[in-house]
């Protein structure tokens, strides 16, 4: 009876311990999953915030490329004469053609001139089927605002084209009319869709203006009251769009967590962040999917918590079993205390030393693990700082070249304006616009800081590369009295590569040559072009002092420079660009000067017709 009672009590304690252990395992797994989920969301927020900043900067740069165009056109005397009473038809045709060229060169959707009565008198699409000529836009808010304050803007659906866009307007002198530039964001939306990013832009009322999901355009983040709907319909801002709510629903537990529906895939959870677009009342929103990352981290949290708790439970069970066995040994030793007292003392002493040694090893391992983690964090931080420093130095070096050219064109423009040479000054302003667009292209390369993109390889005319490079450096050469011997390449000679980046290479080589020959007697720089089968070589030669033989092997190394104020990154970047385009870059140097030789692959066919039209528009605008 007593033995049965003892066995029953032991079974009860064993069952109770097993149930408690299972409950602890379940609780630990749940807590581990929740903690891992929060960590995953925190990481996603940090990544999404960085991506949001880049998206805002890219969109702002795209808008800024067109913001100065209405102001420049408003000062054009021919445009002012177009809105005068009874203008010359030949003048109107000439302005229409020039507006078409400017629109093609700048990427504007359409440029048009509105008289003081609100009727369009000139437009870049004058020859199109849906021309704006003769259309009355006096009802548009951007027209009324610009006539009243000097400038205006509005995002709206085109009443003629049926395409949405951002309208930038500027009043003409003496309030004779308004010049308008329309910007469309199809390229940005296509880029968002190509990169599988869920991005959209809303105005101050929460109405979606630009979106990676075409079906979201002209929907609203929040409900629009009937009075506002009526005002929008009367102003013809968005046509007959119903302004229905976006299929985005907030999740109760967090303000920035939502569920997204209304797309080709089932409803999915996402992290929604937004930021203002400087200079506008718009906000840019990003939707970052969280399901995969959260589920993965949650599963890992479950496994880690279960393993940790299981090991701890196993250790506790081992310790309890050891204590139980120790009590048995002590009980047996008590019966044989007389003869085994010394042996028990020795065993106890040995166990104590083993326990202390085990504790010491555990503490040493803990310190080693903490030191390893600290060193890992420091190494990662050092790597990030080094990458950031190299990238910042590279961007500064690349931007300095067009900035110097802009300064030169600006000084020359001021001289031309004082001399009354307005057309020549306008050509310089167009060149400044293209150089500014080049700087915008460089800043958009910030995305490469997170993911390195390979260089494009497409047919590009060598004449365009040489022309754009001379546009940057010719003024400096003329000021310094340096002769530039640059024979024009064959019009149909094309190479494979990335046109703007190859132009950067030629500009850098010419700038280095200018630095080398400055102050030399009878300085000259020559550009030679050689064709050999499938390869085309471009050589930039000068009669400078040459490069010492001891340092020639180092000139392409990053941060190596012989200039007192140089960064030592120019030639390293140039070689990287040429190699990404499938070419090579080398040099020859001696006492009579230095020659840099860039070899590229010949393109079997010249650029397509669309690229020809863009190039022609750009050359005519300059």
């Amino acid at each position: 009876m007593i033995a049965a009672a003892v066995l029953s009590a032991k079974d009860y304690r064993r069952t109770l311990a097993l149930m408690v252990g299972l409950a602890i395992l379940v609780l630990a797994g749940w807590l581990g999953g929740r903690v891992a989920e929060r960590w995953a969301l925190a990481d996603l927020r940090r990544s999404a915030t960085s991506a949001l900043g880049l998206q805002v900067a890219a969109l702002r740069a795209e808008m800024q490329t067109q913001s100065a165009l209405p102001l420049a056109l408003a000062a054009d005397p021919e445009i002012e004469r177009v809105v005068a009473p009874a203008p010359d038809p030949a003048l109107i045709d000439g302005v229409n053609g020039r507006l078409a060229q400017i629109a093609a060169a700048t990427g504007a959707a359409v440029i048009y001139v509105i008289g003081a009565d609100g009727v369009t008198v000139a437009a870049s699409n004058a020859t199109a089927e849906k021309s704006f000529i003769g259309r009355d836009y006096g009802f548009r808010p951007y027209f009324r605002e610009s006539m009243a304050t000097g400038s205006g803007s509005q995002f709206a659906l085109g009443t003629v084209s049926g395409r949405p866009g951002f309208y930038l307007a500027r009043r003409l002198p003496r309030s004779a009319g308004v010049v308008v530039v329309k910007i469309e964001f199809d390229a940005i939306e296509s880029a968002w869709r190509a990169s599988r990013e869920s991005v959209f832009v809303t105005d101050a009322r929460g109405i979606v203006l630009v979106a990676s999901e075409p079906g979201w355009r002209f929907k609203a983040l929040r409900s629009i009251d009937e009075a506002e709907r009526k005002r929008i319909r009367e102003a013809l801002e968005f046509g007959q769009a119903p302004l229905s709510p976006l299929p985005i629903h907030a999740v109760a537990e967090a303000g920035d967590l939502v569920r997204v529906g209304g797309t080709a895939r089932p409803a999915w959870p996402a992290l929604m962040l937004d930021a203002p677009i400087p200079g506008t009342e718009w906000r840019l929103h990003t939707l970052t999917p969280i399901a995969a990352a959260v589920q993965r981290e949650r599963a890992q949290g479950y496994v880690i918590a279960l393993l940790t708790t299981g090991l701890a439970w196993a250790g506790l069970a081992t310790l309890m079993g050891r204590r139980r066995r120790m009590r048995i040994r002590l009980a047996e030793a008590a019966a044989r205390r007389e003869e085994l007292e010394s042996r028990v003392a020795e065993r106890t002493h040995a166990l104590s030393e083993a326990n202390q040694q085990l504790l010491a090893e555990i503490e040493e391992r803990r310190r080693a693990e903490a030191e390893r983690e600290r060193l890992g964090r420091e190494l990662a931080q050092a790597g990030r700082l080094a990458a950031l420093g190299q990238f910042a130095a590279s961007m500064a070096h690349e931007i300095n070249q067009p900035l110097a050219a802009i300064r030169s064109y600006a000084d020359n423009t001021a001289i031309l304006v004082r001399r009354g040479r307005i057309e020549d000054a306008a050509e310089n302003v167009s060149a400044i616009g293209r150089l500014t667009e080049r700087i915008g292209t460089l800043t958009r390369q910030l995305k490469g800081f997170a993911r390195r993109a390979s260089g494009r390889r497409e047919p590009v005319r060598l004449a365009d590369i040489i022309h754009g490079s001379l546009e940057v450096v010719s003024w400096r050469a003329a000021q310094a009295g340096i002769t530039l011997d640059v024979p024009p390449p064959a019009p149909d000679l094309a190479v494979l590569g990335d046109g703007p980046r190859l132009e950067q290479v030629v500009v850098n080589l010419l700038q280095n040559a200018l630095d080398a020959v400055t102050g030399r007697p009878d300085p000259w720089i020559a550009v030679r072009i050689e064709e050999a089968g499938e390869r085309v070589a471009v050589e930039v030669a000068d009669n400078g002092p040459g490069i010492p033989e001891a340092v020639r092997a180092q000139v392409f190394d990053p941060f190596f420079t012989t200039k007192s104020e140089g960064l030592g990154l120019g030639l390293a970047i140039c070689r990287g660009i040429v190699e990404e385009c499938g070419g090579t870059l080398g040099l020859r140097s001696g006492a009579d000067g230095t020659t840099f030789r860039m070899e590229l692959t010949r393109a079997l066919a010249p650029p397509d017709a669309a690229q020809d039209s863009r190039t022609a528009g750009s050359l005519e605008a300059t």
Side-chain angles (χ1 to χ4, degrees):
M1 295 281 298
I2 296 175
V6 171
L7 290 175
S8 178
K10 288 183 178 180
D11 292 340
Y12 173 76
R13 287 195 298 271
R14 187 179 294 109
T15 303
L16 180 61
L18 180 60
M19 293 179 63
V20 170
L22 290 175
I24 291 175
L25 284 175
V26 172
L27 179 61
W30 181 81
L31 290 176
R34 293 290 294 178
V35 171
E37 179 179 343
R38 292 184 180 180
W39 288 350
L41 288 176
D43 289 339
L44 286 174
R45 284 189 182 94
R46 286 191 291 270
S47 300
T49 300
S50 299
L52 177 64
L54 292 175
Q55 295 286 5
V56 170
L59 182 60
R60 179 60 178 162
E62 180 70 17
M63 296 173 65
Q64 283 182 333
T65 57
Q66 307 289 348
S67 60
L69 187 56
L71 179 62
L73 292 175
D76 192 320
E78 289 188 355
I79 292 179
E80 184 179 359
R81 292 200 298 270
V82 164
V83 296
D88 185 3
L91 175 63
I92 295 177
D93 292 340
V95 170
N96 288 338
R98 193 154 61 88
L99 291 181
Q101 292 177 353
I102 294 173
T106 60
V110 64
I111 305 173
Y112 52 103
V113 181
I114 305 175
D117 57 355
V119 177
T120 303
V121 297
S124 61
N125 61 357
T127 60
E129 180 180 355
K130 294 184 178 180
S131 171
F132 287 7
I133 301 295
R135 305 283 183 175
D136 188 353
Y137 292 107
F139 67 94
R140 283 294 198 187
Y142 63 78
F143 173 79
R144 298 196 297 268
E145 182 181 356
S146 59
M147 289 295 290
T149 65
S151 63
S153 62
Q154 180 190 5
F155 189 98
L157 190 68
T159 57
V160 176
S161 64
R163 296 175 60 83
F166 187 50
Y167 297 83
L168 296 172
R170 191 76 183 184
R171 184 177 62 197
L172 296 175
R174 294 183 293 278
S175 300
V178 171
V179 60
V180 184
V181 176
K182 180 182 179 183
I183 309 171
E184 295 181 358
F185 299 97
D186 292 350
I188 290 181
E189 291 179 334
S190 299
W192 288 343
R193 285 191 292 271
S195 60
R196 300 183 180 275
E197 296 177 346
S198 297
V199 185
F200 61 94
V201 177
T202 61
D203 61 9
R205 299 164 297 188
I207 299 175
V208 177
L209 306 179
V210 185
S212 58
E213 186 70 31
W216 287 0
R217 187 183 295 149
F218 302 147
K219 292 190 176 183
L221 273 177
R222 48 185 176 272
S223 60
I224 307 297
D225 57 45
E226 189 57 35
E228 182 66 17
R229 290 174 182 268
K230 182 178 180 182
R231 192 195 67 76
I232 293 173
R233 285 194 295 269
E234 290 176 351
L236 300 179
E237 287 189 60
F238 308 121
Q240 299 299 321
L243 303 179
S244 55
L246 276 174
I248 298 177
H249 311 284
V251 179
E253 54 262 28
D256 54 2
L257 295 182
V258 297
R259 291 193 67 82
V260 183
T263 59
R265 54 177 171 170
W268 46 281
L271 178 68
M272 186 169 78
L273 300 179
D274 65 277
I277 300 175
T280 69
E281 295 182 350
W282 299 357
R283 298 189 72 84
L284 187 141
H285 306 258
T286 59
L287 293 170
T288 304
I290 63 173
V294 169
Q295 290 176 359
R296 182 178 62 252
E297 295 296 328
R298 185 188 294 139
Q300 292 179 356
Y302 287 156
V303 173
I304 292 173
L306 290 175
L307 287 176
T308 303
T309 307
L311 290 175
W313 192 254
L316 180 61
T318 301
L319 182 59
M320 292 177 63
R322 180 179 294 179
R323 293 182 60 184
R324 184 173 62 253
R325 290 191 297 272
M326 182 65 71
R327 287 195 299 268
I328 295 173
R329 290 193 188 98
L330 290 175
E332 293 176 352
R336 302 188 301 271
R337 185 172 301 169
E338 293 295 335
E339 58 179 314
L340 299 177
E341 184 175 4
S342 59
R343 296 174 61 185
V344 170
E346 292 176 1
R347 178 64 59 86
T348 303
H349 181 69
L351 289 174
S352 298
E353 289 182 350
N355 192 30
Q356 291 177 359
Q357 184 179 0
L358 179 61
L359 292 175
E361 291 178 357
I362 292 174
E363 180 64 21
E364 181 65 25
R365 180 168 296 181
R366 187 192 64 79
R367 288 196 298 268
E369 183 68 19
E371 180 67 15
R372 185 189 65 80
E373 293 179 357
R374 184 186 66 81
L375 292 176
R377 290 192 298 269
E378 291 182 356
L379 182 60
Q381 179 66 11
R384 286 193 294 269
L385 291 177
L388 180 60
Q390 291 180 3
F391 185 78
S394 173
M395 289 298 296
H397 183 274
E398 292 294 337
I399 291 176
N400 276 339
Q401 296 175 1
L403 281 179
I406 288 173
R407 176 61 184 271
S408 300
Y409 277 117
D411 293 342
N412 197 18
T413 300
I415 297 172
L416 293 175
V417 170
R418 286 197 296 271
R419 295 178 179 176
R421 297 168 60 184
I422 302 302
E423 293 184 358
D424 294 338
E427 292 179 1
N428 282 4
V429 171
S430 299
I432 289 174
R434 291 192 303 275
L435 291 171
T436 305
E437 183 176 358
R438 181 180 302 164
I439 293 176
T441 301
L442 290 174
T443 58
R444 286 193 294 273
Q445 291 177 357
L446 281 170
K447 197 170 185 180
F449 181 70
R451 181 181 64 240
R452 181 181 179 185
S454 60
R456 293 180 298 171
R457 295 188 186 181
E458 59 186 10
V460 56
R461 295 189 187 279
L462 194 57
D464 297 341
I465 296 174
I466 301 300
H467 178 272
S469 303
L470 292 177
E471 192 174 64
V472 177
V473 303
S474 59
W475 189 87
R476 176 187 170 188
Q479 291 295 106
I482 299 172
T483 301
L484 289 179
D485 181 12
V486 186
D492 59 347
L493 180 59
V495 296
L496 292 178
D498 185 347
R501 301 187 74 197
L502 289 176
E503 186 175 318
Q504 293 175 20
V505 174
V506 178
V507 168
N508 189 276
L509 296 179
L510 289 173
Q511 294 279 19
N512 287 346
L514 288 172
D515 292 338
V517 302
T518 299
R520 303 278 293 181
D522 298 327
W524 58 264
I525 296 174
V527 177
R528 308 186 187 97
I529 298 173
E530 297 180 5
E531 304 179 38
E534 297 181 353
R535 305 289 285 182
V536 176
V538 179
E539 291 188 347
V540 177
D542 62 67
N543 64 340
I547 301 174
E549 184 176 0
V551 299
R552 288 177 195 169
Q554 299 176 269
V555 295
F556 292 106
D557 294 341
F559 303 107
F560 176 80
T561 180
T562 59
K563 302 177 184 178
S564 59
E565 298 180 355
L567 293 175
L569 290 171
L571 291 176
I573 294 173
C574 289
R575 171 169 279 186
I577 292 174
V578 174
E579 290 178 351
E580 286 181 0
C581 294
T584 59
L585 179 63
L587 70 88
R588 303 189 307 273
S589 185
D592 56 346
T594 302
T595 299
F596 282 89
R597 181 182 179 89
M598 175 177 65
E599 292 189 6
L600 298 168
T601 303
R602 179 198 294 267
L604 299 181
D608 56 25
Q611 183 172 344
D612 289 347
S613 64
R614 291 194 298 272
T615 304
S618 175
L619 292 174
E620 292 177 9
T622 58

